[in-house]
Structures are given as structure tokens and as C-alpha cells.
Amino acid sequence: MINKQSNAYTVIYITVMVLVVGTALAFTAMSLKPRQLENARADKMGQILQSVHMSADRATVVADFEKYISRQIVVNSLGEEVPGATAFDIDVASEAKKPIEKRLLPVYVCDVPGAGTKYIIPVAGMGLWGPIWGYVAFDSDGTTIYGAFFDHQGETPGLGAEITKPDFTDQFKGLKIFKDDKFIPVEVVKKGLKPEGDADYVDGISGGTITSKGVSAMLDDCLTPYKPFLEKIASGNNHTPDKTF
């Protein structure tokens, strides 16, 4: 019988406890993973719908997404459809790090009751403290913004985190990214100022200058590759396949 006061007993006891606790934690993590993935998918669906001013009720979000998102497509920087790619599974943040000509560009086509077809484009960038992301919805003219949704990983409450609030996102509705046939993404500027040139703009977050600049840079970087696709929408020559999930 092992002496409970000995070093050997202590080592064996700690080893057994580590194995037991580690096994329990691993089992719990594996058991919860499907639910975590399901919740993450539902959350993403809700964010996409919020960009077109739809509710993201957790109880109905999956059904609403499947009902109103009529098509999902992936295009390249030439505005051409990429066969075999699934829009929902694309990591937009990773794609944004690639050269424009190598990016996979997801598009969600949404049929909004009473408002017609909208084209939702995901965006991803960096704020002050970490990743920021969102979705920008365009009218069928390929230039007018219908709505926008933004979120963040760790921006400061009351400052940079205000990019999630309607006071910020509602400013985007009705703005245009084509001016006199020139593609000019919307800019985020300090309140009371105007950007150089003809770009449409919104007021940045007071006290959240770096986050505001991050949103502006994100829009420029992520929307620019979609220029040919949006031009095709405007000309009425775009083709979208049957609904896929």
C-alpha cells in the first residue's frame, strides 16, 4: 500500500486527477461542439438578415434565412461566378488578406418583402482592439446601399463598439458607391468633416477614431473587388444560380 505522505503518492494522485479532468473536459467540448457550430451559423444568419433590416429572432432565424435568402453565389474579382464554392462557408477575413485577384467573394441575394431584391456583401477588417466585420446590402441598381450591419470582437464599449448601433449603421442607407461612373466606396470621417473628393460618407464614432478608420478601410478593401459584379447588377446582365446552402 502506497504511503499517502510520499512523493510517489502525490505524483500518482495528480496524474490520475489530470487524466480524469482532462478526459471530462475533452468529452464535454466534443459534446458541445455541434451545438456551438449550430449557434454560430444561426448568429451569422441573423447578422446577414439584420443588414436588410430584418429581425434576427433566435427562434426563427434559420427559417427566415432560408425563406428570404433566395440565392447564395461566389464570384471572383472579374464578377464571374466561381463554380463549386459555397458562400456561407467562406472565411471573409482570410480572403481579405489575399490579393484581390485571388479572393473568393460571397454574395447573398435576399428577397425583401415590399422592397425587392437586395445583394448582401460581407466585409471584414480590423478595429482598435481586434477584428471587425459586417454586411452591406445593395439595391438592385448595384450602387445604392439599402442597409448595413457591423460587429466587433473587442472594441471599447461606448466608443468603438458603437459601430453596432443604429445611430451609426442607419447613416449608410441611401448612400451610393458609384459617382459619375466612378467606383468610390463610402468613407467614414470625423463628425463635421467631409472627405476629399466625391465619396458619400458617414460620421465616425466620437472617441472611436481608430475603429471608425478601420470601418472605412474595411469598406474600401472589401467592396472594391465587387466592382465588376455590382456593375453587372446595374446593367442587368448578372446571372445567379439556383438556391444553395
Side-chain angles (χ1 to χ4, degrees):
M1 188 172 182
I2 300 177
N3 181 1
K4 292 184 178 181
Q5 304 301 318
S6 67
N7 290 336
Y9 177 84
T10 302
V11 171
I12 293 173
Y13 179 82
I14 292 174
T15 301
V16 171
M17 289 302 297
V18 167
L19 290 173
V20 170
V21 173
T23 300
L25 289 175
F27 177 78
T28 301
M30 291 178 64
S31 299
L32 292 177
K33 188 172 183 179
R35 182 176 297 179
Q36 291 172 338
L37 292 174
E38 181 181 339
N39 288 339
R41 287 179 64 83
D43 187 52
K44 182 175 179 178
M45 291 176 181
Q47 293 180 9
I48 293 171
L49 292 177
Q50 287 182 73
S51 73
V52 289
H53 313 293
M54 288 188 178
S55 171
D57 189 313
R58 177 69 69 177
T60 62
V61 66
V62 175
D64 288 343
F65 184 86
E66 294 179 351
K67 179 178 179 180
Y68 296 112
I69 300 298
S70 58
R71 301 181 183 94
Q72 295 185 46
I73 61 174
V74 178
V75 299
N76 59 25
S77 61
L78 300 178
E80 302 166 335
E81 181 189 340
V82 179
T86 304
F88 199 86
D89 294 335
I90 290 176
D91 185 339
V92 177
S94 295
E95 294 298 318
K97 298 175 183 178
K98 300 178 182 179
I100 286 178
E101 65 275 9
K102 294 185 178 181
R103 295 185 194 180
L104 294 175
L105 308 171
V107 181
Y108 302 90
V109 185
C110 185
D111 296 328
V112 181
T117 301
K118 310 301 174 188
Y119 297 85
I120 304 171
I121 292 175
V123 294
M126 289 295 295
L128 173 61
W129 301 113
I132 56 176
W133 63 90
Y135 298 89
V136 182
F138 289 88
D139 282 330
S140 57
D141 63 2
T143 183
T144 307
I145 294 177
Y146 177 74
F149 170 90
F150 301 109
D151 207 344
H152 63 93
Q153 179 173 294
E155 299 307 289
T156 307
L159 298 176
E162 296 296 298
I163 62 172
T164 66
K165 302 296 180 61
D167 285 347
F168 180 70
T169 58
D170 287 352
Q171 297 181 78
F172 287 84
K173 186 173 177 61
L175 302 186
K176 298 180 182 298
I177 59 171
F178 283 99
K179 293 290 189 72
D180 298 324
D181 296 326
K182 294 181 180 179
F183 183 79
I184 311 176
V186 172
E187 294 188 25
V188 182
V189 299
K190 187 175 181 178
K191 189 173 183 178
L193 299 181
K194 294 183 179 180
E196 297 181 3
D198 299 325
D200 277 355
Y201 64 94
V202 302
D203 292 332
I205 304 298
S206 297
T209 302
I210 295 179
T211 306
S212 297
K213 289 182 177 180
V215 173
S216 191
M218 173 175 69
L219 294 174
D220 183 28
D221 180 58
C222 291
L223 294 182
T224 297
Y226 286 90
K227 176 177 178 290
F229 174 76
L230 293 171
E231 289 175 329
K232 287 184 178 182
I233 293 175
S235 67
N237 293 325
N238 64 299
H239 169 69
T240 52
D242 292 335
K243 181 177 180 180
T244 56
F245 294 97

